[in-house]
Amino acid sequence: MRHGCKVNHLSRTHAHRVAMLSNMATSLIMHKRIETTVAKAKALRVYVEPIINRSKEDSTHNRRIVFSYLHSKEAVNELFREVSQKVANRPGGYTRILKTGIRHGDNSEMCIIELVDYNENMLKETTAKKAKSTRRSRAKKVEAAPVEAPVAEEAPKAE
């Protein structure tokens, strides 16, 4: 029984789980979105959000701590140069999980986990909705003048 254990072990040993989450976090930072199972995505969100939060302040100490989690110089540089600029004003919630259905092979729930500030499609929709929406009261009824029915002309009778 779990009895308050908050970590999803994902049926893996500790070393395997940490290595998998490190690789998935590196892929998420490099590609901005990855497709995985819902359970792995929820575990990855808990793993990667503190790393992204630490990247807001660029210092040698923070770079070394992030490198100890990611083990990739390219991912650390990408995180501190580009990603941290986009998330600078955001107080948290750097990732989004979008469920995509089930996998046909084993019926697992699949999803896409992505960095929130890098989805251009959703960013465009929010700005378009704000510009377009207006609040209106009940539409006023406009009464039109009664239209006279055209009188059908009688055809001349042939004699």
Side-chain angles (χ1 to χ4, degrees), residues 57-77:
E57 183 185 343
D58 191 3
S59 66
T60 306
H61 179 65
N62 285 344
R63 282 182 176 262
R64 286 178 177 167
I65 289 175
V66 169
F67 183 76
S68 72
Y69 285 103
L70 297 180
H71 305 293
S72 170
K73 283 184 184 178
E74 294 82 15
V76 171
N77 287 334

Side-chain angles (χ1 to χ4, degrees), residues 38-67:
V38 173
K40 287 180 188 175
K42 288 180 180 180
L44 178 62
R45 179 174 52 191
V46 173
Y47 186 85
V48 80
E49 292 218 359
I51 294 172
I52 296 172
N53 196 24
R54 190 167 284 276
S55 74
K56 287 183 178 182
E57 183 185 343
D58 191 3
S59 66
T60 306
H61 179 65
N62 285 344
R63 282 182 176 262
R64 286 178 177 167
I65 289 175
V66 169
F67 183 76

Side-chain angles (χ1 to χ4, degrees), residues 127-159:
T127 56
K129 285 182 183 176
K130 287 181 183 176
K132 186 174 117 178
S133 66
T134 58
R135 277 189 77 99
R136 295 186 181 180
S137 61
R138 187 183 308 168
K140 296 179 182 177
K141 294 181 182 178
V142 178
E143 294 184 23
V147 179
E148 296 180 15
V151 178
E153 296 181 14
E154 295 180 18
K157 295 181 181 178
E159 294 180 17

Side-chain angles (χ1 to χ4, degrees), residues 1 3 7 9 13 21 27 29 36 42 47 50 54 56 60 75 78 87 97 103 117-118 127 129 141 145:
M1 297 185 128
H3 287 306
V7 176
H9 297 289
T13 62
L21 290 173
S27 296
I29 290 167
T36 183
K42 288 180 180 180
Y47 186 85
R54 190 167 284 276
K56 287 183 178 182
T60 306
E78 178 85 11
V87 300
I97 295 176
R103 185 164 51 196
D117 294 318
Y118 281 91
T127 56
K129 285 182 183 176
K141 294 181 182 178

